[in-house]
Amino acid sequence: MKKIIIVLLIIIVGFLAYDFYKDWRRLHPDNANYEASEKIDITYHDDSVLFSYYEAIEDLNSYVQYEWSVNDVDVINPSDDDIETQRAIKKYASKRALVKYLENKLENSAHLKSEGWTNDQIQQKELGITQQPQPSKVLPLYKDMLVAFPKNELKTGSRGVLVYEIQKLLNKALKDSIAVDGVYSTITTQAVSKFESAHSLFPDGQLDALTLEKLVEVTTTSVN
């Protein structure tokens, strides 16, 4: 009889422990605490936005803990649908929305910087300020350099500093990664042809004055 009682007690304790563990896991899953994104721009032009982002995350996580410990409400994986739970879930959603809003702003800034944008340009974009395209200072120089090549154009086999600069501009305009080595190879020819096709120019893959001007124009104004 004692053995039966002991077994029953063990089973009851086991059920209680399991039930306690389930409750504990509800508040301590992998997503219980919201973690700051690793993709945000930590050099964002407005420090207060970064501060607000981290503050919003702390407020969100504190709210989750508070509702669980004080009101016994799990806002992440709710098991009830009463008025108090609905109220808590709605407030949690509002706090989380603020976090996501700030996070998206900071992640977008980081993405733009990976494409060559500066803090000033990002700020102007957010304010809806569109800069007027300015005449490129390098275009006259590039045109002077182009004159040194036969027929005033670059084509397969051409080499030199100008080819090197053109390859960098092509990578920026096409968001590509062709070799920047100063050699007008077949790959460079194909990239030029692709650029010409995209801008209604004759796609012969040879860089003449018209293609050069359009390439400089596009890469100069592409971040505005």
Side-chain angles (χ1 to χ4, degrees):
M1 184 67 180
K2 288 184 178 179
K3 291 183 178 180
I4 295 175
I5 293 175
I6 292 174
V7 170
L8 289 174
L9 287 174
I10 292 174
I11 292 174
I12 292 172
V13 170
F15 274 116
L16 290 174
Y18 179 69
D19 188 58
F20 175 80
Y21 173 75
K22 284 197 303 180
D23 283 344
W24 184 87
R25 285 302 298 168
R26 281 172 55 202
L27 191 63
H28 298 83
D30 294 336
N31 65 338
N33 280 332
Y34 194 98
E35 301 289 341
S37 171
E38 297 180 354
K39 300 178 181 180
I40 64 171
D41 177 11
I42 60 174
T43 59
Y44 187 69
H45 63 81
D46 186 350
D47 291 340
S48 67
V49 174
L50 268 173
F51 177 80
S52 296
Y53 173 63
Y54 289 119
E55 186 178 49
I57 291 177
E58 183 64 28
D59 181 52
L60 178 68
N61 291 334
S62 296
Y63 181 72
V64 171
Q65 295 288 340
Y66 174 83
E67 284 297 329
W68 173 258
S69 60
V70 176
N71 298 324
D72 196 28
V73 175
D74 182 356
V75 294
I76 298 177
N77 299 299
S79 58
D80 298 319
D81 193 33
D82 53 42
I83 295 176
E84 185 65 21
T85 300
Q86 291 179 13
R87 177 202 61 78
I89 292 173
K90 184 176 181 180
K91 190 170 183 179
Y92 168 77
S94 177
K95 290 178 178 292
R96 194 173 190 277
L98 174 60
V99 172
K100 296 303 293 184
Y101 169 76
L102 295 171
E103 187 171 272
N104 288 338
K105 179 186 286 287
L106 293 168
E107 286 183 344
N108 183 58
S109 178
H111 173 70
L112 292 174
K113 283 186 178 179
S114 71
E115 295 186 345
W117 290 54
T118 66
N119 268 333
D120 287 342
Q121 290 168 330
I122 292 171
Q123 185 175 21
Q124 289 170 348
K125 180 178 184 296
E126 292 174 348
L127 294 173
I129 300 173
T130 303
Q131 295 180 344
Q132 294 299 319
Q134 299 297 318
S136 172
K137 296 180 180 179
V138 298
L139 182 57
L141 176 61
Y142 287 167
K143 285 185 174 181
D144 288 343
M145 294 171 69
L146 189 61
V147 173
F149 290 86
K151 298 183 180 180
N152 298 339
E153 63 183 16
L154 299 178
K155 58 184 179 180
T156 304
S158 298
R159 295 170 178 266
V161 175
L162 181 57
V163 177
Y164 181 87
E165 295 299 323
I166 293 303
Q167 289 169 329
K168 290 195 297 184
L169 295 181
L170 285 169
N171 281 336
K172 185 176 181 181
L174 299 174
K175 293 180 174 55
D176 207 339
S177 57
I178 66 172
V180 180
D181 54 10
V183 179
Y184 207 99
S185 62
T186 301
I187 294 177
T188 302
T189 300
Q190 293 171 346
V192 171
S193 179
K194 180 179 178 181
F195 175 82
E196 289 171 328
S197 294
H199 294 278
S200 302
L201 298 171
F202 183 65
D204 59 1
Q206 299 178 6
L207 191 133
D208 56 17
L210 286 176
T211 303
L212 174 61
E213 186 169 345
K214 176 57 71 173
L215 181 59
V216 172
E217 175 190 331
V218 169
T219 52
T220 300
T221 61
S222 60
V223 296
N224 293 317

